[in-house]
């Protein structure tokens, strides 16, 4: 039986820090040029494929969801934290935001044209990443796109007690090696089309790994990487 008890700590922690998080986190328009370019490329790819809407999983206060919508993508947000979802609804009343977990998405099979997991899977214990990536594969339409971005490492397990201005948190974070993330995405049936590794430097203290992937159009016909 899958142990999802860690979700309670993630939910409670982000409910606690939601307002401070929204004050401190950068708006997408203020991101570095490379991050903006990758988000724009993902949005264009989804629009071109035309397979359905994009779910921004772990959407937080909804800023990246709104950014995608501004790029012409039908997007909606899902977050484990009710406080985050409420902030998103207040800030972007024209978009849909719901409370939910990426471990069990309340979405039909083959429904999504895209999934964005933007700095949102690092609280998932590594042994449960196959559950999350399996949900991504299940809910993506054939030919649907995935963008996964976040901090990577060499398997570090972080247990912070404070975050976002000293507010108490009980979540844990895992810095999965990029090669392992790639292996798990492929094991879930997703085809990686591009991978970007940004070493620590200005603006980040950790390696950032970004993956673009897609669900094959047919289980019998492998996709050819686009880049």
């Amino acid at each position: 039986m899958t142990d999802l008890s860690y979700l309670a700590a993630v939910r409670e922690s982000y409910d606690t820090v939601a307002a401070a998080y929204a004050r401190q986190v950068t708006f997408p328009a203020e991101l570095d040029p490379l991050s903006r370019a990758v988000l724009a490329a993902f949005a264009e790819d989804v629009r071109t494929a035309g397979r359905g809407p994009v779910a921004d999983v772990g959407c937080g206060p909804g800023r990246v969801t709104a950014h995608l919508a501004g790029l012409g993508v039908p997007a909606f947000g899902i977050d484990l934290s009710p406080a985050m979802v409420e902030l998103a609804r207040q800030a972007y009343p024209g978009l849909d935001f719901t409370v939910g977990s990426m471990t069990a998405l309340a979405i039909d099979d083959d429904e999504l044209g895209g999934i964005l997991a933007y700095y949102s899977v690092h609280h998932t214990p590594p042994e449960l990443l196959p559950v999350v990536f399996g949900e991504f594969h299940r809910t993506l339409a054939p030919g649907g796109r995935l963008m996964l971005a976040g901090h990577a490492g060499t398997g570090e397990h972080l247990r912070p007690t404070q975050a976002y201005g000293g507010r108490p948190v009980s979540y844990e974070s895992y810095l999965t090696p990029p090669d392992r993330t790639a292996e798990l995405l492929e094991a879930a049936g997703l085809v990686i089309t591009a991978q970007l590794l940004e070493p620590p430097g200005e603006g980040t203290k950790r390696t950032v790994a970004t993956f673009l992937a897609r669900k094959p159009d047919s289980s019998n016909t492998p996709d050819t990487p686009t880049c």
Side-chain angles (χ1 to χ4, degrees):
M1 184 175 179
T2 302
D3 182 5
L4 301 178
S5 58
Y6 76 97
L7 294 174
V10 175
R11 181 185 297 108
E12 180 181 359
S13 296
Y14 278 104
D15 279 348
T16 299
V17 305
Y21 180 101
R23 288 193 297 269
Q24 293 181 36
V25 172
T26 303
F27 281 85
E30 299 168 350
L31 291 170
D32 63 276
L34 183 59
S35 296
R36 296 198 309 271
V38 176
L39 281 168
F42 170 70
E44 182 177 357
D45 202 24
V46 169
R47 288 198 314 269
T48 301
R51 304 302 174 98
V54 170
D56 179 8
V57 295
C59 66
R63 291 173 183 169
V64 183
T65 318
H67 184 72
L68 288 177
L71 293 173
V73 173
F76 63 95
I78 301 170
D79 201 275
L80 190 62
S81 162
M84 285 289 195
V85 168
E86 183 57 30
L87 288 175
R89 289 171 175 169
Q90 291 174 6
Y92 307 104
L95 298 177
D96 290 331
F97 297 94
T98 60
V99 176
S101 170
M102 66 182 73
T103 62
L105 294 167
I107 296 171
D108 291 338
D109 295 356
D110 303 332
E111 182 176 336
L112 300 174
I115 292 175
L116 176 67
Y118 201 66
Y119 293 84
S120 60
V121 304
H122 58 282
H123 296 305
T124 305
E127 65 271 18
L128 296 181
L129 285 174
V131 174
V132 171
F133 295 165
E135 279 293 274
F136 291 174
H137 182 274
R138 179 186 68 81
T139 55
L140 280 171
R145 272 49 173 179
L146 167 69
M147 178 176 167
L148 171 68
H151 294 299
T154 57
E156 296 94 327
H157 182 181
L158 309 179
R159 300 176 176 87
T161 58
Q162 296 180 343
Y164 305 103
R167 288 156 182 82
V169 295
S170 57
Y171 57 54
E172 300 178 15
S173 296
Y174 305 87
L175 302 183
T176 305
D179 289 349
R180 178 59 176 160
T181 299
E183 179 182 317
L184 292 173
L185 288 171
E186 291 171 343
L190 297 164
V191 177
I192 296 173
T193 57
Q195 179 176 339
L196 175 66
L197 295 180
E198 302 172 70
E202 185 177 354
T204 180
K205 297 179 181 179
R206 301 189 179 101
T207 297
V208 174
T210 301
F211 298 88
L212 298 177
R214 65 175 63 177
K215 181 174 177 176
D217 288 313
S218 167
S219 59
N220 298 319
T221 305
D223 279 4
T224 300
T226 58
C227 57

